[in-house]
Amino acid sequence: MVWGAAAAVVAAVPLVHLVTRVVGAGGPAVVATLTAPRTLDLLVRSAALTAAVTAACVALGTVAAWLVARTDLPGRRVLAVLLPLPLAVPSYVAGFTWAAEAPWLAGFPAAFAVLTAVSYPYVLLPVLAALTAADGTTEEVARSLGHGPLRVAWTVTWPRVRPAATAGGLLVALYVLSDFGAVSLLRFDTLTLGIFTSYRGTFDRTPAYVLGLLLVLLAVAVARGEARARGRAEAPVSSAAGRPAPRVALGVAGPFATAGLVAVLLVALGVPVVSLVRWSALGASSLDVADLAAAAVATAGVAFAAAVVTTVLAVGVGVLGARWPGRTTRGLEELSYLGHALPGLSVGLAVVALGVAWLRPLYQTTTLLVLAYAVLFLPLAVGAVRSAVEATPPRFEEVARSLGRGPLAALAQVTAPRAAPGIAAGATLVFLTVAKELPATLLLRPTGTETLAVRLWSLSSVSRYAAAAPYAAVLVLVAALPVVVLLRGVDRRRQT
Amino acid sequence: MLVTIRTILAVALSLTVLAGCGSGAEQTAPRIEGAPTLTIYSGRNQELVGGLLERMQTAIGANVEVRYGSTGEMSAQLLEEGADTPADVFFGQDAGALGALSKAGLLAPLPAETTANALPQYRAADNTWVATSGRSRVVAYNPDRTPADQLPPNVDALLDPRWRGQIGYAPSNASWLSFVTGLRLLRGEDGARQWLTAFAGQQPQRFDGNGAIVDAINQGTVTLGLVNHYYLYEKTHDIDPATYRVANHYVPNDPLGLVNVAGAGVLRATDQPELANRAVQFLLSRDAQQYLVDETNEYPTVAGVARSRAVPPLPPIETLSPPPVRLADLDSVDVTQRMLQETGLL
C-alpha cells in the first residue's frame, strides 16, 4: 500500500502543478482559452488522430503478432525480429526523415501513417508475449471440432489476447496524445502544438496549463475506455502443462501477408534508416567519436537508472491492480497514466517547479531527472507488471498460503519468478523510451550532461544534419539492443 | 532469461558509473582552479556560440558553465524557476523572450559601462538587457521558380491571389511572432487584424520551424517563406550552396524587413552581479562581435565590426532600412497571440 502511495505521489506531480497554476491564473484567462474556437479545433484533431492511430495499431499489432506466432507465414523468423524494432525509432526522427524524403507528405494522413508505423509495437509485443505464453490446447480442441482457422482465431485466440492488445492500445493512445515531434514535423496541429506555442512563443503560460489539463481529461477518458474494453481477463491455463497451438497454414495468402508487413517495415524502419545512413556517410569525416561515445554512455546510464526506478514504482501499482482491484486501485492506475499523456515539456516544467521549491539540493541532478522520467513513463511499466501478475493464477498463491506463507511471501516466492519476464519487458520499454526522450531531458539534466537526443537536437536545430545523423543512428541502435534481448527472452520461452 | 537479465544489469551498471565519470569531461576549456563559476542559460545553440562562451572563460577569469536549450523553452524554465534560478546570465535569441523575462521582473538593470559599446538602438529602454547581434526578417524564395522581379515588394503584396497556398510560415516560432508584433505596432490593432485575416485567407502552409520552411522551398513544396536571413547560411553549411536552391529577398522600409535581435541580460537572482555584468560586457567586445558576425552570419550591434569573409554574401546592415519598431516594444506578444488566435493563424 505504501509502495502504491509512493508511486501515486510521483505520478501526481504534473497534475498538482497544472491544477495549482490554472487556479492561480484566474477564471477569465482560463475561460478565454477554453472558449477560443481554436481550442475546440485542436481538441477534435487530437482526439481524431489518437482514435485513428490507436485503432490501426491494435489491428496491425494483433494481426502481425498472430501471423508471426500462429501461422506458417513466409519469413516469420526474420519478421519476428524486425517487427518490434520501429519502437527504437524516435517519432521525431521518423517524422523528420519522412518530411525530408517526401516533402509533399503532410497533414492527417502523414501523421497517421508515421505514428502508426512507429507505435504498433506497443501492441505487438504484449500480444506476442500473450500468444507465446498461452496454452494451445483449447485452439486444438476447437479445430478438432471442425471450426476453421480464422474462426478459431476470432472466437478462441482473440479473447485471450484482448487484455494485452487493449493495454498496448492504451499506451499508443497516451503516446499519440503527448506526441509533439511527429505531428509538428508532419504539420498536423494538435493540442500539443497549442501547449508548445504557449510555452515557447508567447510566454503566456495559461493556455499551456489549460490545454495540459484538457489532455489529462482525454487521458482519463481513454483509460476508462480501455478498462471497459479489456473486460475481465480470462484466467489463462498454465503454459507449463500445455502445448503450443498448431500453426495455421496461410496458403496463397501467405506471401501477401508477408508483403504487407514488409511495407509497414519500409515506412517505419526503411526510410528512416536509409536516410540516416546517407546523411551519416556525409558527416563521417567530421565525426567526433569521443563525443558520440560519451553521449551514448550518458544515454544508456540515465535510461538504465530510470528503468530500474520506474519499474520498482510500477510494481506497487501493478500488483495492486492485478490482485486487489477496486475503486482506489483504479484511481491509482489512472493517475499513473497521466504523465504519459502530457508532453515532456509540461511534465519537465512541473518537475522544475517541484525542484526549485521543495527539492532544491536535487535540482538539475540526475536524481530529479530520473524522477521526471518515472512520472512520464510509469504507465509503460505498470501495464507490463499488471498483465504479468494477472497471467499467474491467484490459485498458486492460495496454495502457498495454505502451506503457511504470508500473503507477501506467497507473492514474492510464487508469483514474482513467473512474472519476472513480463516485468523485465516493461523495464525494457521504459529504457528505450527514456533513451529517446528530449524536452524533459533538456530542462532537468545536470549542466554539461549530453544525451544522444540532446546532441541530435543541438546539431539538427542548426541544420547540421550530416553531423547529427550518426547520433540518430546510434540512438536507434541503443534503443534497438534491448528490444532484441527482449525478443530472445520471448523466443526462448517459446522453445522450452 | 535470468542470465540475460543479469548480463544487462552488469553492462548497464558499468555504463551508469561511466556516465557519472564522463559528464565532467564535457568541458573543453580547462577549469580555472579557485575561480568563481558563472552559470549561463543559453537559448542560443551550442554549435553556434559554444566556442565564444569558451573564450569568455579566459576573458572574465571565471569558470563558465552553460546550459544549452532553445530560447523559448529556456525562458519557460526561467519563468518557472523565478527567484530560485541557479542562472546568473541569460543569453537568448529573440527580443520578445528577453522582453517577457524583463516584464516578469527577472532581469536586473545593466550598468551603463556594461552596455556602453552597443549602438543606442540595441539597448532595452529600461536597460535590463542588451542586443548582442541582429537578424533580419526576409522572404526566402527559390530563384529557379520565381524571378527576382516578381517577388513581393511589400507585406501587402503577399495577399495577391497568385501566392494562395504558396507561403510557408512557422506559427510557434518566436521570430514570426515578433514580425506580427511589429506589424501590429506599425499599423495598429485594426490594421494588423485586417492584414492577418486576409493572410489567413491565403491559406499559408504551417511548418514546425524556419529550417523546415527553407527546406520546403528548396524542394519546391512552397514558393515563399517568411523566415530570418541566416537560415540559408546554416543550411549551406553541410550542403553545396550551388545545389541548394534558396535565396533571400530583403524588403526594406516594410514590416517584412523587421530586424530582430539576440541578446543577453543578468538575472536579478544572481549572487555575483559584477561577474555577470562582465560576461554581458564581453559579448559586446570587439572579439565577441567578430566571432558572432563570422560564425553565425548575423549583424553586429557595436560600431566598426565588419565580416572577415565575403562568402556567403550578406547585404550590409546600412542597406536594410528596417521599419521603425522599437525592440523593447516587441515584448507585447500576448496581444499578438490573441490576435493570431482570433484570425486562426496560431
Side-chain angles (χ1 to χ4, degrees), chain A residues 243-265:
Chain A
R243 287 185 283 162
R247 285 192 181 271
V248 173
L250 290 175
V252 285
F256 288 103
T258 304
L261 294 181
V262 169
V264 171
L265 283 173

Side-chain angles (χ1 to χ4, degrees), chain A residues 17 21 38 100 103 184 187 189 201 304 360 363-364 442-443 445 447-448 455 458 461 463-466, chain B residues 12 15 26 41 45 47 67-69 72 77 80-81 84 97 172 177 205-206 208 219 221 235 237-238 346:
Chain A
H17 177 250
R21 290 302 153 100
R38 183 76 176 144
S184 69
R187 300 161 51 207
D189 299 346
F304 175 71
R360 195 52 214 256
Y363 188 51
Q364 292 180 3
L442 274 177
L443 292 176
R445 77 208 142 107
T447 301
R455 292 295 294 141
S458 177
S461 59
S463 309
R464 308 262 162 95
Y465 302 134
Chain B
L15 282 176
E26 279 295 319
Y41 276 17
N45 196 283
E47 311 307 318
R67 273 184 89 75
Y68 291 99
Q77 182 162 17
E80 203 65 67
E81 289 173 346
D84 295 313
S172 72
L177 291 165
Q205 307 264 333
R206 298 154 173 274
D208 172 51
Q219 288 156 335
T221 319
K235 288 288 170 191
H237 184 276
D238 281 348
L346 202 61

Side-chain angles (χ1 to χ4, degrees), chain A residues 91-312:
Chain A
S91 73
Y92 50 87
V93 169
F96 177 80
T97 50
W98 267 103
E101 300 295 325
W104 42 268
L105 205 69
F108 184 89
F112 168 76
V114 169
L115 279 172
T116 303
V118 297
S119 316
Y120 74 83
Y122 281 123
V123 178
L124 174 104
L125 281 174
V127 172
L128 200 56
L131 282 176
T132 325
D135 173 34
T137 324
T138 331
E139 269 123 328
E140 223 172 324
V141 171
R143 291 288 293 280
S144 71
L145 291 174
H147 291 306
L150 286 180
R151 178 142 182 207
V152 171
W154 179 245
T155 55
V156 181
T157 316
W158 167 244
R160 296 199 162 179
V161 299
R162 203 169 84 170
T166 54
L170 173 63
L171 296 183
V172 172
L174 296 175
Y175 178 75
V176 175
L177 281 179
S178 69
D179 178 69
F180 179 67
V183 293
S184 69
L185 285 162
L186 296 167
R187 300 161 51 207
F188 182 71
D189 299 346
T190 60
L191 276 178
T192 55
L193 178 99
I195 292 176
F196 271 72
T197 307
S198 160
Y199 276 130
R200 63 149 78 133
T202 64
F203 313 109
D204 170 17
R205 292 169 296 158
T206 306
Y209 300 138
V210 175
L211 298 183
L213 274 185
L214 275 184
L215 270 184
V216 166
L217 290 180
L218 276 181
V220 172
V222 169
R224 291 266 159 93
E226 190 261 346
R228 188 162 297 180
R230 194 197 314 151
R232 294 225 57 81
E234 281 183 30
V237 185
S238 160
S239 57
R243 287 185 283 162
R247 285 192 181 271
V248 173
L250 290 175
V252 285
F256 288 103
T258 304
L261 294 181
V262 169
V264 171
L265 283 173
L266 278 180
V267 174
L269 276 181
V271 167
V273 167
V274 166
S275 188
L276 286 181
V277 167
R278 213 171 52 211
W279 280 107
S280 293
L282 278 176
S285 54
S286 59
L287 180 64
D288 183 347
V289 179
D291 186 70
L292 179 60
V297 168
T299 305
V302 291
F304 175 71
V308 170
V309 171
T310 309
T311 308
V312 167

Side-chain angles (χ1 to χ4, degrees), chain A residues 288 290-303 366 369 373 434-435 437-438 441-459 471 474-475, chain B residues 18-28 40 42 44-47 50 54 65-69 74:
Chain A
D288 183 347
D291 186 70
L292 179 60
V297 168
T299 305
V302 291
T366 311
L369 177 63
Y373 289 145
V434 168
E437 209 283 336
L438 178 64
T441 312
L442 274 177
L443 292 176
L444 292 161
R445 77 208 142 107
T447 301
T449 295
E450 314 256 313
T451 65
L452 288 166
V454 169
R455 292 295 294 141
L456 176 58
W457 165 80
S458 177
L459 288 162
Y471 290 87
V474 171
L475 176 54
Chain B
L18 271 173
C21 309
S23 54
E26 279 295 319
Q27 285 186 328
T28 35
I40 299 183
S42 173
R44 306 214 59 192
N45 196 283
Q46 185 174 7
E47 311 307 318
E54 272 169 32
E65 267 197 357
V66 193
R67 273 184 89 75
Y68 291 99
M74 268 219 139

Side-chain angles (χ1 to χ4, degrees), chain A residues 368-419:
Chain A
L368 203 63
L369 177 63
V370 166
L371 183 79
Y373 289 145
V375 176
L376 278 166
F377 304 128
L378 200 53
L380 297 181
V382 167
V385 171
R386 195 191 50 215
S387 30
V389 174
E390 269 175 356
T392 309
R395 274 198 311 279
F396 290 9
E397 277 172 49
E398 286 156 18
V399 171
R401 293 191 60 182
S402 73
L403 293 173
R405 296 274 191 274
L408 286 181
L411 194 67
Q413 289 172 1
V414 177
T415 306
R418 301 180 60 91

